[in-house]
Amino acid sequence: MLDNVLRLLEGPLWARFRIVAISCLFLSFLGLAMSVPGTDFPLEGSIFDFMLSHKSEDKYDSADRLVVVALDDLTLSNPHKYFPQSFDPAAWATILDHLVLGGAKAVAIHQPLPAIETHPFALEDETKWFRAVNSAHKNGIPVIYGFRYLSDRPLLPSAKYVEILGRDRMGFLNLVHDRDNKVRLQALKWPNFTDPVDPYSFSVVVAVTQNPALSTLPGEEFYIDYSSEISKLSFSDIYDRAQNGEMDFFKRVFADKIVFIGDTSSINMDAYPTPASDYMGKGGQGWYLMPAVEIQAHSVATLLSGHFLQEPHWAQHLVLLFGLTFLALSPILLTIKKDAPVAGWLPTAVTLLYPALCLLIFRRNVYLPVIPGFSILVLANLLYWTFRGHESRVLRRASNQALTLYLNPDLADKIMLNPEQTLERRGELRNVTVFFADLVGFTSMAENMDTAEVVDLLNRYYDTMNTAIERFGGFVDKFVGDAIMAVWGAPSSQPKHAVSCCLSALMQKRLMDDLNRDLTAQNLPFLQALMGLNTGQVIAGNIGAKQRINYTVMGDAVNLASRLVSVNKLFLTTIIASQATQTLAQDEICFRALDKIRVKGRKGSLTVYEVLAPKGDLSNDMAQCVNYYERALNHYFDKDFKGALARFEAALKSNPNDNPSLIFAQRCMDFIARPPDSRWDGVTILEAK
């Protein structure tokens, strides 16, 4: 299917435009689906916090109108005074009276009020408290109270309190926690709320006393802006000043202020992580949990400022995503096959600039989720570079046709000695060892290089590999892109073709190390070649048309050798051989059994081996590592994953950089956590060819 799409992109402009438009529409809806509530990503919260920290310079005057009177550690631990944890009517009445006389605009009690039946305060203290509340209301100063809402009902104070305070002066204190437990949102209303009080949150009730229009805000939640600082004073200190009658202090500090009174002590721990926790704290050290009363104060400051952090409407979001993905994929429309792509840098630039765009919009109080948009732009990049890779492969195949004019020296000699018989189109069964090699990531690497650099790099790679192939009597069947196919045992017979192929592969590995040291010194890309070896019966001979033939080998043994190259990626190895090759070469070559695999299109499983070194050249540490590994593998196939894990870990002690041991140790841990079912036979199935 992908090939069909790529072929359409090779067509006229209108066909490419249609494919690009459909791709952009699909990616845009995908990004929109990733942005809906309930699909948030853990990293998204951290990004939100980062953007909020860089918005801290946008402070709003509304925060200057708020003061928190804190029931802090000093208040609750003062040996000379006693302030109960929940509520002391006499002490609170004294402070409320002085706040009213000092000119406060509102008083918000961030403290659940008690039920009188369970808290028998002295009648005189209770009367004093209610008198102070009535006095505040008569002077036009609202007193707002909080309560908790349980899963099925509100936890309200006694009916007497509700009657005296008024149902429009009470709001729920519950906070909204994200998946990482941080408080970034504040609810406007509680869903399915019933009497006897209104369904508004504590912060909304406080804000509505200053701006009644806020009671009609749309939606259910809003983002809290923590960018401003809230003044905070100790309840104990304020109480002392009230006792001493320091009215000048109250008028100077609390005039025209909204005063919050609530618990900030470390004793009661009514505090939670917020985005501000990442960049504010005591002395800049440690993790700072913000008291709930301060969170409510920031919520009120956000509401009064009018600078709500809002997400765009879904239609606006969809149009924006479509425009960005279309911009990222537009170079496909401008690509001319025989020339360099126009604006080929655009997809990467759009992707990298998207987070900056989100931050800029965030500074304008619009929150655009970063992860969904960035993810679809990455997919757009992959689509673009897949097309570019396909186009590069098409051009490379056209160039490689010229290389088939060059022949192996042995075959050239036979043609010279007996041209008629050698050039006859026929085949014969031969037992050979087939070799394949492929470079990891070369296609994407080549796309960022000049043509001359690519050709030069490939030629140096081929020279390196071909030296080792010819050194041990191999026949280079073909160079295809960055892949090499070679054969031992044809066209000339070789009794030890499997051994020769293994020795050549090991030499190629050593020579590639030397080449990469030179490339690194010249600031050129690192080349990693993966190799697959297989021994078996093939059809060898001249295959082709009358006008153009090629000496080659074909058959299932060739296909398997090709498939083994990619198996290296599973184990992070370099040279993998089949069991047939290992059987013929094991007397002279050190192998290590890696795994049992089943490849697509073949019945049954086969064991694959890593080619390690010639006999006698394996280091003691590696030999011990292989010993532990193969014993661990036996336990692994017997479903003794704990025993296997212990031996894989022992192998890693001998060689900490042994990739197969690391990979199988992780497999064992996964199977210990989630054991396989009874049908598991230990065979790794390779779906891709």
Side-chain angles (χ1 to χ4, degrees), residues 110-111 148 173 175 263-272 290-293:
H110 188 276
Q111 197 80 12
R148 305 286 181 186
L173 300 173
L175 298 173
D263 191 348
T264 66
S265 69
S266 61
I267 299 173
N268 296 324
M269 291 299 293
D270 187 18
Y272 308 93
M290 182 175 289
V293 63

Side-chain angles (χ1 to χ4, degrees), residues 26 50 70 105 113 121 126 235 239 260 279 295 304 348 450-451 536 572 596 615 678:
F26 170 77
F50 172 81
K105 297 196 70 175
L113 297 177
F121 296 115
E126 182 185 322
F235 187 98
Y239 181 73
F260 288 80
Y279 62 93
I295 295 175
L304 294 179
T348 302
D450 294 334
T451 303
L572 303 180
K596 295 178 182 178
K615 279 289 177 72
S678 58

Side-chain angles (χ1 to χ4, degrees), residues 236-530:
S236 178
D237 179 61
I238 300 302
Y239 181 73
D240 287 341
R241 292 178 182 273
Q243 290 285 76
N244 296 331
E246 299 180 22
M247 285 307 307
D248 290 341
F249 169 81
F250 279 88
K251 291 179 180 179
R252 183 177 69 256
V253 175
F254 296 108
D256 295 324
K257 299 291 180 67
I258 301 172
V259 183
F260 288 80
I261 305 177
D263 191 348
T264 66
S265 69
S266 61
I267 299 173
N268 296 324
M269 291 299 293
D270 187 18
Y272 308 93
T274 69
S277 303
D278 291 337
Y279 62 93
M280 296 196 307
K282 299 177 181 179
Q285 299 177 353
W287 185 264
Y288 175 59
L289 300 180
M290 182 175 289
V293 63
E294 289 187 47
I295 295 175
Q296 295 286 0
H298 280 289
S299 301
V300 173
T302 302
L303 290 169
L304 294 179
S305 71
H307 297 282
F308 307 123
L309 285 168
Q310 298 176 319
E311 294 189 18
H313 188 270
W314 70 267
Q316 296 173 319
H317 195 182
L318 182 65
V319 170
L320 177 62
L321 293 178
F322 183 87
L324 290 172
T325 52
F326 189 86
L327 184 62
L329 293 177
S330 60
I332 292 179
L333 304 177
L334 306 175
T335 298
I336 302 174
K337 290 184 180 181
K338 295 184 179 180
D339 298 323
V342 180
W345 50 266
L346 198 55
T348 302
V350 172
T351 304
L352 295 179
L353 289 175
Y354 177 74
L357 174 65
C358 292
L359 180 60
L360 180 64
I361 295 176
F362 192 87
R363 298 287 293 271
R364 302 298 185 271
N365 300 302
V366 176
Y367 171 48
L368 189 66
V370 178
I371 295 296
F374 188 81
S375 299
I376 66 168
L377 287 174
V378 169
L379 291 176
N381 267 268
L382 291 175
L383 179 60
Y384 172 74
W385 290 113
T386 298
F387 166 70
R388 292 294 304 129
H390 170 75
E391 194 172 48
S392 296
R393 287 190 295 272
V394 171
L395 295 174
R396 190 183 300 117
R397 282 195 298 268
S399 300
N400 285 342
Q401 290 175 359
L403 296 178
T404 59
L405 296 174
Y406 297 92
L407 301 176
N408 178 271
D410 291 340
L411 187 57
D413 291 341
K414 287 188 176 184
I415 293 175
M416 293 295 293
L417 293 174
N418 192 350
E420 292 184 0
Q421 183 177 356
T422 305
L423 294 176
E424 184 180 354
R425 289 189 296 172
R426 61 185 179 84
E428 60 180 343
L429 292 177
R430 300 288 291 267
N431 195 51
V432 301
T433 297
V434 184
F435 167 93
F436 275 89
D438 197 10
L439 286 177
V440 177
F442 187 80
T443 300
S444 58
M445 184 192 309
E447 291 167 354
N448 299 316
M449 300 172 64
D450 294 334
T451 303
E453 292 177 327
V454 173
V455 173
D456 180 70
L457 197 59
L458 274 176
N459 286 337
R460 294 176 68 177
Y461 162 64
Y462 291 146
D463 287 342
T464 301
M465 302 290 276
N466 190 64
T467 298
I469 292 172
E470 292 187 354
R471 169 67 177 77
F472 291 93
F475 160 63
V476 176
D477 185 290
K478 58 177 66 71
F479 296 123
V480 182
D482 53 278
I484 300 173
M485 176 184 171
V487 182
W488 277 259
S492 301
S493 298
Q494 292 174 280
K496 294 186 176 182
H497 52 80
V499 174
S500 297
C501 183
C502 291
L503 291 173
S504 175
L506 291 169
M507 183 178 180
Q508 290 176 64
K509 183 179 179 182
R510 292 194 302 272
L511 293 179
M512 284 300 296
D513 291 339
D514 296 336
L515 174 62
N516 278 312
R517 278 192 288 270
D518 294 338
L519 294 177
T520 301
Q522 298 169 29
N523 199 28
L524 290 173
F526 181 93
L527 300 180
Q528 182 185 5
L530 302 182

Side-chain angles (χ1 to χ4, degrees), residues 530-544:
L530 302 182
M531 306 174 219
L533 290 64
N534 181 43
T535 301
Q537 199 172 63
V538 299
I539 298 175
N542 295 321
I543 310 296

